[in-house]
């Protein structure tokens, strides 16, 4: 009804935006059954879910392009939530893949810079979610490398260092973080064919937890009713409670911004 009234009054119908910013795992998330496509379906008529995934990108390149995606001083550019999902390419071994490799200290600085820029552009830290790089199945990845005529150019132990750095950045910056590196190994959700979560499918645990973080933000902004969020929690996340005061809320992410 409200939409009809706005349209009849000649007002532009602008939906709030959720921005998914990352590398190939984000770019390909809009494929059939992907986590991005599932989010877009879940938030239809509430938010426009924008895919800004760039295959092959690391945080050095991401930091350069972010100001072109969200401009300062333009309220229409300000999303209700932003996911920053980089690290898989940054953690490539320097000797084997110098083009994509980013030193750990620079990776940290780049993440901090992007969180800082978003705040300057009018996106408060409560709307930002960092996602750590996923773990790597080295045997499967080595086969992929051999098919490309190169040596194994990533190690799961090194990816873990970047995941740990991402967690520390989130703590230092006061933003939410999804520890995908730990989550996938704990629940054996590693796709044996590539470095991506097999839970990127709609019902996967990774998707469920990303959805939980974003749905909470949508609720806080009044874009969905509390009863709708509570009903969704009961059916999708029976282990969560709306009155839970634990910062981790019995889930696999750390959240300094969640409140009652």
């Amino acid at each position: 009804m409200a939409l009809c009234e706005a349209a009849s009054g000649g007002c532009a119908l602008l939906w709030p935006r959720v921005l998914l910013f990352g590398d190939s795992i984000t770019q390909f998330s809009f494929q059939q059954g992907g986590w991005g496509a599932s989010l877009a379906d879940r938030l239809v008529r509430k938010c426009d879910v924008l895919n800004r995934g760039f295959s092959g990108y690391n945080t050095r390149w991401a930091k350069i392009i972010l100001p072109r995606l969200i401009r300062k001083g333009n309220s229409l550019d300000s999303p209700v939530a932003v996911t920053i999902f980089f690290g898989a390419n940054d953690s490539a071994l320097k000797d084997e893949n110098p083009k994509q490799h980013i030193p750990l200290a620079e990776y940290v600085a780049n993440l901090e810079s992007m969180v800082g820029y978003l705040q300057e552009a009018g996106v408060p830290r409560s709307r930002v979610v960092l996602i750590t790089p996923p773990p790597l199945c080295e045997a499967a990845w080595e086969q992929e490398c051999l098919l490309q005529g190169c040596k194994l150019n990533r190690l799961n132990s090194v990816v873990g260092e970047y995941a740990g750095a991402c967690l520390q950045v989130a703590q230092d910056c006061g933003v939410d973080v999804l520890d995908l590196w730990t989550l996938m190994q704990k629940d054996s959700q590693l796709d044996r064919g590539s470095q991506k979560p097999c839970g990127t499918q709609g019902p996967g645990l990774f998707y469920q937890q990303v959805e939980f973080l974003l749905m909470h933000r949508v609720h806080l902004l009044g874009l969905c009713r509390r009863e709708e969020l509570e009903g969704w929690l009961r059916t999708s996340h029976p282990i969560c409670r709306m009155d839970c005061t634990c910062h981790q809320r019995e889930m696999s992410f750390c959240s300094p911004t969640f409140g009652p």
Side-chain angles (χ1 to χ4, degrees):
M1 185 67 178
L3 292 179
C4 292
E5 292 175 351
S8 63
C11 299
L13 299 179
L14 300 176
W15 267 254
R17 305 188 310 159
V18 171
L19 183 69
L20 309 180
F21 186 40
D23 52 32
S24 60
I25 302 174
T26 299
Q27 177 176 324
F28 300 133
S29 71
F30 269 43
Q31 293 178 343
Q32 185 174 4
W35 63 277
S38 298
L39 279 173
D41 180 64
R42 184 69 182 83
L43 293 173
V44 68
R45 293 184 62 176
K46 295 181 177 67
C47 298
D48 287 336
V49 179
L50 304 183
N51 186 333
R52 295 297 180 265
F54 300 88
S55 180
Y57 267 49
N58 55 35
T59 54
R60 182 182 296 166
W61 303 331
K63 183 179 69 172
I64 294 173
I65 200 173
L66 181 59
R68 303 182 185 182
L69 303 179
I70 300 177
R71 294 167 293 176
K72 295 181 182 179
N74 188 340
S75 60
L76 296 179
D77 277 351
S78 181
V80 298
V82 179
T83 60
I84 300 178
F85 190 1
F86 290 96
N89 297 316
D90 298 67
S91 59
L93 301 178
K94 181 179 180 180
D95 292 341
E96 302 298 335
N97 190 351
K99 181 177 180 181
Q100 290 182 309
H101 169 80
I102 297 296
L104 188 60
E106 183 184 347
Y107 172 71
V108 168
N110 290 340
L111 287 179
E112 292 175 340
S113 175
M114 287 189 281
V115 172
Y117 173 81
L118 288 173
Q119 189 171 26
E120 293 172 4
V123 182
R125 299 188 179 193
S126 61
R127 298 186 184 184
V128 178
V129 177
L130 297 183
I131 305 176
T132 74
L136 176 72
C137 177
E138 293 179 10
W141 188 255
E142 185 173 21
Q143 291 302 313
E144 294 287 332
C145 292
L146 291 174
L147 290 175
Q148 299 296 324
C150 60
K151 299 179 182 179
L152 179 66
N153 57 22
R154 301 181 188 184
L155 294 174
N156 190 45
S157 59
V158 175
V159 178
E161 295 176 6
Y162 284 72
C166 181
L167 292 172
Q168 187 62 52
V169 169
Q171 181 178 336
D172 294 343
C173 293
V175 300
D176 286 356
V177 60
L178 175 56
D179 185 2
L180 188 57
W181 190 80
T182 299
L183 172 68
M184 287 175 57
Q185 295 182 103
K186 180 178 66 176
D187 291 280
S188 300
Q189 292 206 17
L190 187 59
D191 186 330
R192 295 301 172 181
S194 61
Q195 188 182 15
K196 69 177 182 179
C198 67
T200 52
Q201 300 302 311
L205 185 58
F206 164 58
Y207 163 74
Q208 290 179 355
Q209 297 202 37
V210 171
E211 183 186 36
F212 179 79
L213 286 166
L214 297 182
M215 280 293 292
H216 187 78
R217 283 157 176 74
V218 170
H219 163 66
L220 290 179
L221 292 169
L223 301 176
C224 74
R225 300 185 304 276
R226 183 182 180 86
E227 305 80 53
E228 182 179 358
L229 181 63
E230 290 176 336
W232 172 79
L233 282 174
R234 285 193 295 271
T235 57
S236 300
H237 295 275
I239 64 173
C240 296
R241 306 189 313 275
M242 287 300 296
D243 60 347
C244 177
T245 58
C246 171
H247 282 178
Q248 294 191 14
R249 296 182 66 90
E250 302 181 49
M251 303 291 279
S252 296
F253 57 80
C254 302
S255 173
T257 61
F258 272 41

